[in-house]
């Protein structure tokens, strides 16, 4: 009854599908740090006695609210019930384990980055030593300290008697890739701010550091632009309940910053812009049916000066609202049929000598857009088609590879041309299937393409993408976690961390930890969490 | 006023909903608004009435056989008053033409139970009359849901309803959801929320696959060690007698039967932890390997245990049926065991272990029969030729060939329910609800008499990959597609009309606090408030 016989035997026969069971020697650490030594000497943490505080040598003090907020958050996670798995008490138990009274956080650089925004060049490394009587977390700046606090919290467990305990450990850690992102799509479904914040919180638990905010697209335009308020007034699903106000956007950015996460907005043009046209007349190309306008619209109209005037003003606003050094400009999936139908476009093509090659028109548009964005002092990311079409790009452009089947060749080409790149093709989490698909995401090796060492250095990371056709506030969070956690470890941990069964054991407990922290992260397979999710 | 009339309150929903007085053009995308599942007969006029928050009442008709002492109805009135006026209207529609002159007000919904016995304190059964027939001005429980689905918000946010006459009854009597609380424990809160959602979709059977290999969360009063040893955790991951009682009563108040499944002889690994000698010891060569197989069918103690256990089950669960499982029995352990081999020889079973399985099931059925319960079994039990009582319900689940199986089962004269096309634990990208919706349960070759034996179906959500974190959005609104197939007329199959209604029905579930996932891109006026 339970399922088809075929699947039944498959599962029985495949050790990777067993609900397991075992525990990893690395406990529930996720993603696995670069260097880990855990001894079996354990200490207890007292609820009243344990403190997280600035080391006196630290360059960040009580005025660093980023750290103070993080201490409060992790104190709550650690002693409010973060220990999710009972483990055997260490051998010192009988003689009464010693107590760990303090975690000292020591920012070693003169500039702690406390009030800064994280960037692609931020140093995220940290070193954590858990020993009696104090544990020490050393990091060059606050970004590494945040990761170290998460790791510290993952070392804490409940012993047989429910006492919070931690084993003596030495950890030295840094990310394999600098860009570790999650793409959420707030156009196909509006995501309430609460959902975005909860997922930023979960990203921090998984050491993700980029929130790629695909904020607008064809179906709706929820971004409330101060310069062009009619865009959301007309283009959002609802002008009040389904928009992101400037205050909302600011809150998302600050919430993310406090967790070491960059917010990179995507304003995708010239395609995927149907919702823009509702509030901005003449922005989109009128499509023709024979010799008369059909009443429908195509991509952004690339032949009007007003288009570029608009883009100049719009991206100037974007550059001030979003502090990150990069903005994602999209550029994917441009449908040429509307352009082809329009007589004015045809005339322009002739004037420019583009012949019938509409990708030249697309490149013409993108080139002008890139020049505009460059004047706003931002770097840009673009989807791979822009590169494929031969548009001239700034050297610091990040090319985003997303087309499956051939992404290795594409990575080779992009890096051979000297551009930095990030990979998403194998990590489209909106595609679902029965079973443990996290394993498929986990097994991806981003540097498996043919290329020189120099080329591989140009791969700065990747993103898990959860496009919005089928997800909204009701199901997004459990669909994203812990499947995205598999991507998190691939992007953070060493290349040789690839033991699926050890990963299963750690991830199962990590999943329960997310659940205990109030995140509805779905199960990998049958089994249970000591504290099940309290919602429905 | 508006009356809902039904023969009995359990199915309070039968009846005729007649609304009259003023106006509104109900122009949603579907001419049937957001009704789901679609009632058998619907007439909605464009005359609309307003419902005033302070003035509107749901009350017993004075002719009704159920009065204020019928707490089932009183609870339902409260629930639906909240849904209707607490914000159940999910779609703004254009004000009707009479708007300027002020639409009339609908002040009352009268609920008229017409049978002398209202069934108010009874349990629903497979023969409950869920129809709502009616005369003018009448209405019931299922009818309350339908009434609430007729209410919408007009342009000014005013709760409105159009003059309507609805006559309704289900196409199939057995419309179930299977939840699996063994592979993952489901907190009571999750079960109750899904019962509530079942009622919104007019499902009437909760098939509780309560135990299985991974865990045994059912706390048995007779054999407490079963959950003590076999549950994931003996306190936090068990269903106590009080929990079970609460589930049953919560379901009853919503016209839902609770049919427990205690699957044997396979799928019983968790039973063995608290009941030594119940399972067959497997052998490796000539010595026990330390692992165990299906229930041991050759010991008298096995049947003594089953007798006591199912006697308890028969008193704990009031429904007339219990599901006895009987699927996917793996013979390899039996084959390894020398005592079993000897028994096979004695019985003259040769090498045919399905005979041994049948031997066990036959004895089990006889035991359960003495508890005065009917039983449901998975199709293998029928396939193996076990002798079944005439009122046995055969549950068809194996995909690819389920039509042939339905033909065979009904040709043999057994009633049957279908689940094969509705295994909702299988997921894929896209709108798979359409696939479930397009299923026609009576498409197999057979006589009219055979087709009458198909009493319904169940959507199954097996528990390997779902727990409290993701079960509800994975079940809804995908199961809603099954709900309409089992309730509405056979000819209700316009996918695009269904899409239009289901989209709004989905938003209504969301507004009622249920995280029902989206069908496709779009939005709800009130998005889900949780994460």
């Amino acid at each position: 009854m339970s399922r088809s016989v075929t699947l039944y035997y498959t599962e029985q026969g495949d050790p990777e599908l067993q609900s397991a069971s075992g525990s990893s020697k690395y406990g529930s650490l996720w993603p696995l740090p670069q260097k880990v030594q855990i001894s079996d000497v354990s200490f207890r943490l007292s609820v009243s006695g344990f403190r997280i505080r600035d080391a006196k040598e630290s360059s960040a003090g009580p005025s660093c609210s980023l750290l103070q907020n993080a201490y409060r958050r992790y104190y709550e996670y650690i002693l409010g019930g973060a220990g999710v798995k009972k483990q055997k008490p260490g051998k010192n138990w009988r003689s009464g384990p010693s107590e760990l009274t303090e975690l000292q956080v020591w920012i070693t650089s003169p500039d702690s980055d406390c009030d800064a925004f994280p960037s692609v060049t931020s140093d995220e490394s940290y070193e954590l030593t858990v020993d009696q009587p104090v544990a020490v977390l050393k990091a060059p700046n606050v970004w590494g300290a945040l990761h170290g606090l998460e790791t510290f919290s993952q070392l804490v467990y409940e012993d047989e008697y429910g006492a919070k305990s931690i084993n003596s450990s030495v950890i030295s850690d840094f990310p394999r890739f600098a860009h570790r992102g999650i793409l959420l799509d707030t156009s196909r479904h509006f995501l309430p701010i609460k959902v975005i914040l909860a997922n930023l919180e979960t990203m921090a638990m998984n050491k993700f550091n980029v929130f790629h905010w695909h904020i607008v697209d064809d179906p709706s335009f929820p971004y409330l632009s101060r310069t062009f308020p009619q865009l959301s007034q007309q283009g959002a699903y609802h002008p009040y309940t389904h928009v992101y106000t400037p205050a909302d956007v600011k809150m998302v950015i600050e919430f993310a910053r406090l967790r070491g996460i960059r917010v990179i907005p995507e304003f995708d043009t010239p395609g995927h812009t149907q919702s823009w046209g509702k509030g901005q007349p003449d922005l989109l190309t009128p499509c023709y049916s024979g010799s008369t306008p059909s009443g429908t619209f195509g991509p952004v109209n690339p032949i009007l000066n007003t288009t570029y005037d608009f883009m100049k003003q719009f991206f100037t606003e974007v550059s001030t609202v979003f502090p990150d050094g990069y903005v994602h400009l999209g550029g994917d999936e441009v449908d040429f049929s509307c352009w082809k139908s329009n007589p004015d476009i045809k005339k322009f093509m002739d004037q420019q000598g583009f012949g019938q090659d509409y990708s030249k028109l697309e490149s013409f548009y993108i080139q002008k857009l890139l020049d505009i964005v460059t004047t706003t002092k931002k770097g840009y990311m673009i989807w791979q088609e822009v590169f494929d079409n031969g548009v001239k790009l700034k050297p610091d452009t990040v090319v985003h590879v997303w087309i499956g089947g051939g992404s290795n060749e594409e990575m080779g080409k992009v890096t051979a041309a000297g551009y930095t790149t990030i990979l998403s093709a194998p990590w489209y989490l909106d595609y679902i299937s029965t079973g443990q698909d996290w394993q498929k995401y986990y097994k991806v090796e981003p540097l498996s393409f043919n290329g020189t060492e120099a080329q591989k250095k140009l791969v700065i990371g990747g993103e898990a993408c959860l496009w919005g056709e089928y997800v909204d506030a009701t199901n997004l969070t459990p669909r994203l976690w812990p499947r995205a956690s598999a991507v998190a470890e691939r992007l953070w941990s060493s290349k040789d961390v690839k033991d699926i069964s050890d990963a299963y054991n750690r991830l199962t407990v990590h999943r329960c930890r997310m659940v205990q922290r109030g995140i509805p992260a779905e199960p990998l397979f049958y089994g249970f969490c000591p504290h099940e999710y309290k919602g429905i």
Side-chain angles (χ1 to χ4, degrees), chain A residues 117-133:
Chain A
F117 287 93
S119 77
V120 69
T121 57
S122 293
D123 186 338
E124 298 178 279
S125 67
Y126 66 92
E127 286 176 17
L128 176 62
T129 309
V130 179
D131 204 346
Q132 223 234 334

Side-chain angles (χ1 to χ4, degrees), chain A residues 193-203 255 477 481 519:
Chain A
I193 288 292
K194 183 178 171 183
V195 172
I196 294 177
L197 300 188
N199 281 284
L200 287 167
E201 181 79 14
T202 317
M203 285 171 64
F255 191 94
T477 309
W481 310 104
I519 304 301

